[in-house]
Amino acid sequence: MEAGPRDTEQHDVPPPRQLAGRLSPDGPDGPDEQDVAPEVEVELRPARRLRIWQLAPIVMLAAVGSLMFAFPLAFEFGDGGAVVAMLGLLISCCAAGWGMMAARRVGHTWPGLPARGSGDRPDWRVIALYVAVGAGLVALAVWRVARLR
């Protein structure tokens, strides 16, 4: 049973007066026992999603790291700019990892990858695309910091 919106709508359930006519004092009459009322599944657990108290520190850490990374690169603060930029990049990557772990904990997956526990195998092309994009971003960041010197 998956967590999701509650299904409170009853499907094909006859009104109580019709049910009362088909019931004897000791239970349903004869062969019509299966026709009494279909079961309706209702999810009792709320949908799992990230809450504001989980998202706020991740967003704040990512913003601080991004600013630390961007300002020395944009304005070239001299010799210490490369160190501050690399520290900002490290903080941004930590925030991204923290966010991915929080999202995984509530059941989210990366686009194109199967849900955890589904038994499906991930497509190698999607994984190759994620690795290529990540490697490209790291290469651009290292190249830009190296140009500061």
Side-chain angles (χ1 to χ4, degrees):
M1 195 180 303
E2 295 180 10
R6 297 173 190 247
D7 184 11
T8 57
E9 182 180 323
Q10 296 194 6
H11 305 283
D12 301 327
V13 177
R17 291 184 185 210
Q18 286 181 354
L19 285 176
R22 295 190 310 186
L23 296 177
S24 65
D26 60 341
D29 290 335
D32 293 338
E33 289 181 17
Q34 301 297 330
D35 298 339
V36 174
E39 291 186 20
V40 177
E41 289 188 21
V42 176
E43 182 59 46
L44 299 177
R45 294 178 296 165
R48 295 181 75 185
R49 61 177 185 241
L50 289 173
R51 306 274 189 240
I52 189 69
W53 61 267
Q54 291 171 311
L55 287 175
I58 296 169
V59 170
M60 294 296 290
L61 194 61
V64 167
S66 297
L67 290 174
M68 286 178 68
F69 180 62
F71 273 97
L73 297 179
F75 301 116
E76 297 187 24
F77 285 140
D79 294 340
V83 174
V84 173
M86 288 307 286
L87 182 60
L89 182 62
L90 177 67
I91 292 173
S92 296
C93 290
C94 288
W98 191 5
M100 286 188 298
M101 291 306 293
R104 181 180 170 136
R105 188 166 190 153
V106 297
H108 295 297
T109 61
W110 285 64
L113 296 179
R116 191 169 72 174
S118 68
D120 295 338
R121 294 181 55 89
D123 188 11
W124 66 269
R125 293 173 292 209
V126 175
I127 293 174
L129 177 68
Y130 284 135
V131 169
V133 168
L137 290 174
V138 168
L140 285 172
V142 169
W143 174 68
R144 180 63 177 120
V145 170
R147 278 191 42 205
L148 287 176
R149 294 197 172 233

